[in-house]
Amino acid sequence: MSKQKPGIPKGMRDFGPKEMARRNYIFNTIQDTFKLYGYQQLETPTMENLSTLTGKYGDEGDQLLFKVLNSGEFLKKVDADTFKAGESKVLPRISEKGLRYDLTVPFARYVVMNQNEITYPFKRFQMQPVWRADRPQKGRYREFYQCDADVVGTDSLICETEILCMIKRVFSHFKLNDYDIKINNRKILTGIAEVIGASGKESDLCVAIDKLDKIGWEKVKIELQERGFSEDAIETLSPIIAQNENKNADWLLFLKNYLAKSEVGLKGIAELEEVFANLNKLDENQNHVVFDPVLARGLSYYTGAIFEVKVNGVGIGSVSGGGRYDDLTGVFGLPGVSGVGFSFGVDRLYDVLEELNRFPDDEVERTKIMLAYFGAEEKDACLGILAALRREGIAAEIYPDLVKIKKQFNYAGKKGIPFVGVLGSDELKNKTISLKDMTSGEQESLTLEKLIEKIK
């Protein structure tokens, strides 16, 4: 029997100790920020009912759902039913669950199921993997982590403002200085649809212009035509595309005139103005915040502000995004609960920090000291020393096998352990430990108390 070469599915990855230390650095930085702003953590199951997931992400999102086959005794029955009734009557019952596509829809489901126990406004954060049946490429994976922060039960635009502040705080800690937080409002997009004479076609408009950065204006125009937009509508839309270098204040002024006949469009402008005013009241500036009136984001549940964050100078897509979704809980039977939130894509952030060399030098969680020994008696004595070191909170380990001292030192060197404590017959007799600094090569004989004082 030939040996099978092991592998993992495309778009999924293993993470070794170095990668996990760096990922934890990302998680901890984001989590500290979420907690600072009053968010509490929760988790939801890996799988949701397909009825929970479908219809919440638009047609393109639904196509990327990982569906989970029913298994066990159910499949045995399916085989029998298929033989008797034919596949067409049985196949719809084979898959009733799916892997979660994001964390927002499961959160909305959680809110509805726990509506009587929740204190509103309810602020939660969630850090879990999600799955999308996408085509794997640089910066795009089929399994990846998201770090979400959402608040439901309030219409206050302070929430949108604080999202901008949280993003800026996280990026400041990561020492990322060249990035854009693009912001828009779905009401503005609805207003644009009205002005160009395409009322009711907001979804088609958003799906098409959401691809502007990827395929360019000429191809977007073709897609708009295919979606039934007239030449006049596309021509009326063109001035917005042409003014893509405006500053925030200039955009607001331009759109007040452009959307003068759209009540909903002007409401979107007023909401953005309030968000920018709140930034000033929170002693924040508009650095890195870029108003982009053609920012659409493909998810169909957004109803107000929308965000998308990209780091400049790297060939990776957005690393964060989100928006307001006033009507999301309504599809689960709880209308009138407004919500807004955003998410960090951990895997893309990892790639950005690695490409720009922004990880701290000491991010790897290493053992502080390893104990080495020459004989069985010294090995037994090392176990007592090991326990004492750990009681003091010092990360310590012992080489488990009685081998030559050189092999023990090689192990410590390969793991990057900064100190090695050696026990031989002289040290055993004198109740000392020979401590070697693996960086400088210096070695000194110390009592256990002095050793702890030196390396703690």
Side-chain angles (χ1 to χ4, degrees):
M1 182 177 178
S2 61
K3 293 182 179 180
Q4 181 180 355
K5 186 177 180 180
I8 55 177
K10 289 183 178 180
M12 301 184 182
R13 298 170 294 168
D14 291 321
F15 301 105
K18 180 179 180 180
E19 289 80 14
M20 280 309 306
R22 289 181 165 186
R23 287 169 69 82
N24 285 335
Y25 165 69
I26 295 173
F27 287 131
N28 294 338
T29 301
I30 294 172
Q31 181 170 276
D32 287 347
T33 298
F34 287 163
K35 288 182 176 179
L36 184 68
Y37 280 76
Y39 289 77
Q40 297 176 301
Q41 189 170 13
L42 65 81
E43 291 191 350
T44 58
T46 295
M47 287 189 293
E48 295 279 352
N49 292 324
L50 274 179
S51 58
T52 298
L53 300 174
T54 52
K56 313 304 188 303
Y57 306 106
D59 292 341
E60 293 189 11
D62 283 352
Q63 292 174 17
L64 299 180
L65 289 174
F66 268 113
K67 298 178 181 179
V68 179
L69 295 179
N70 289 325
S71 57
E73 292 299 317
F74 178 87
L75 282 187
K76 291 181 181 178
K77 188 173 186 306
V78 166
D79 289 341
D81 288 349
T82 302
F83 180 76
K84 293 176 182 177
E87 289 187 5
S88 61
K89 296 181 181 179
V90 178
L91 286 178
R93 296 192 288 117
I94 292 179
S95 178
E96 300 168 327
K97 297 176 289 293
L99 300 181
R100 58 172 173 256
Y101 178 93
D102 72 352
L103 301 178
T104 306
V105 170
F107 170 58
R109 189 264 311 150
Y110 174 90
V111 170
V112 174
M113 291 182 66
N114 296 275
Q115 57 188 282
N116 296 323
E117 288 76 41
I118 287 173
T119 300
Y120 298 101
F122 180 48
K123 303 173 79 172
R124 85 83 170 86
F125 75 90
Q126 202 168 335
M127 304 170 75
Q128 290 183 274
V130 299
W131 292 267
R132 296 182 186 179
D134 215 339
R135 183 171 63 86
Q137 54 187 288
K138 183 178 181 181
R140 189 183 296 273
Y141 306 100
R142 288 177 171 170
E143 178 187 49
F144 56 96
Y145 266 78
Q146 288 185 337
C147 297
D148 278 23
D150 290 77
V151 53
V152 294
T154 175
D155 295 318
S156 173
L157 295 173
I158 290 175
C159 302
E160 278 86 339
T161 310
E162 288 192 334
I163 286 175
L164 298 177
C165 294
M166 285 190 284
I167 294 170
K168 293 178 74 169
R169 183 181 190 272
V170 167
F171 277 53
S172 175
H173 278 69
F174 288 151
K175 295 181 172 56
L176 295 172
N177 303 312
D178 188 8
Y179 65 93
D180 293 325
I181 307 172
K182 291 190 175 183
I183 183 171
N184 195 14
N185 193 300
R186 274 295 176 95
K187 295 180 177 70
I188 293 173
L189 292 166
T190 299
I192 291 173
E194 289 182 359
V195 168
I196 67 175
S199 296
K201 301 190 69 172
E202 295 88 347
S203 294
D204 284 331
L205 177 65
C206 290
V207 169
I209 67 174
D210 191 42
K211 301 173 183 177
L212 190 61
D213 285 346
K214 300 184 183 77
I215 65 176
W217 175 231
E218 293 303 317
K219 290 185 178 178
V220 168
K221 285 197 291 186
I222 294 172
E223 179 159 344
L224 287 169
Q225 290 171 347
E226 292 172 348
R227 290 179 177 272
F229 287 83
S230 68
E231 290 290 344
D232 287 344
I234 295 171
E235 186 65 27
T236 308
L237 180 63
S238 296
I240 293 179
I241 307 299
Q243 300 192 43
N244 59 1
E245 297 297 328
N246 279 353
K247 294 182 179 179
N248 293 347
D250 296 332
W251 263 125
L252 292 171
L253 183 61
F254 170 82
L255 286 171
K256 281 181 180 178
N257 293 320
Y258 185 90
L259 298 173
K261 296 182 179 179
S262 172
E263 183 179 348
V264 66
L266 292 176
K267 182 172 174 56
I269 293 293
E271 289 182 2
L272 273 183
E273 287 181 321
E274 184 175 338
V275 170
F276 292 151
N278 286 340
L279 275 177
N280 295 330
K281 294 171 185 176
L282 285 168
D283 293 327
E284 276 284 358
N285 54 45
Q286 292 185 34
N287 292 348
H288 305 291
V289 180
V290 179
F291 174 30
D292 182 358
V294 295
L295 174 67
R297 290 191 60 78
L299 302 185
S300 61
Y301 52 66
Y302 292 128
T303 57
I306 46 179
F307 313 91
E308 190 165 275
V309 187
K310 291 186 178 180
V311 179
N312 300 317
V314 295
I316 294 170
S318 61
V319 297
S320 179
R324 181 167 285 278
Y325 42 87
D326 290 350
D327 303 322
L328 187 63
T329 55
V331 301
F332 296 124
L334 182 64
V337 179
S338 181
V340 62
F342 76 114
S343 174
F344 286 107
V346 172
D347 301 86
R348 288 190 177 184
L349 272 175
Y350 184 104
D351 291 344
V352 167
L353 294 176
E354 185 173 52
E355 185 169 332
L356 297 177
N357 195 27
R358 291 293 192 274
F359 282 111
D361 294 335
D362 59 349
E363 88 282 351
V364 177
E365 299 155 345
R366 293 190 178 97
T367 299
K368 192 68 175 289
I369 181 172
M370 188 198 79
L371 298 178
Y373 46 87
F374 283 92
E377 189 177 356
E378 291 92 334
K379 178 181 179 181
D380 290 342
C382 279
L383 294 176
I385 297 170
L386 187 67
L389 291 168
R390 289 172 177 166
R391 279 195 296 269
E392 293 294 325
I394 297 171
E397 62 179 283
I398 184 173
Y399 194 86
D401 301 314
L402 183 55
V403 296
K404 292 181 179 180
I405 199 74
K406 182 179 179 181
K407 186 172 183 179
Q408 297 180 55
F409 269 94
N410 286 341
Y411 171 82
K414 289 179 180 178
K415 283 195 71 174
I417 299 173
F419 294 100
V420 174
V422 182
L423 219 63
S425 56
D426 289 343
E427 287 81 11
L428 200 60
K429 179 180 177 182
N430 299 325
K431 296 184 177 180
T432 60
I433 304 161
S434 182
L435 181 69
K436 182 171 182 178
D437 185 321
M438 295 293 284
T439 303
S440 66
E442 294 180 1
Q443 192 163 324
E444 57 184 322
S445 187
L446 300 169
T447 63
L448 177 58
E449 291 76 14
K450 290 292 184 182
L451 183 148
I452 290 172
E453 184 180 318
K454 183 178 179 67
I455 69 173
K456 193 171 182 180

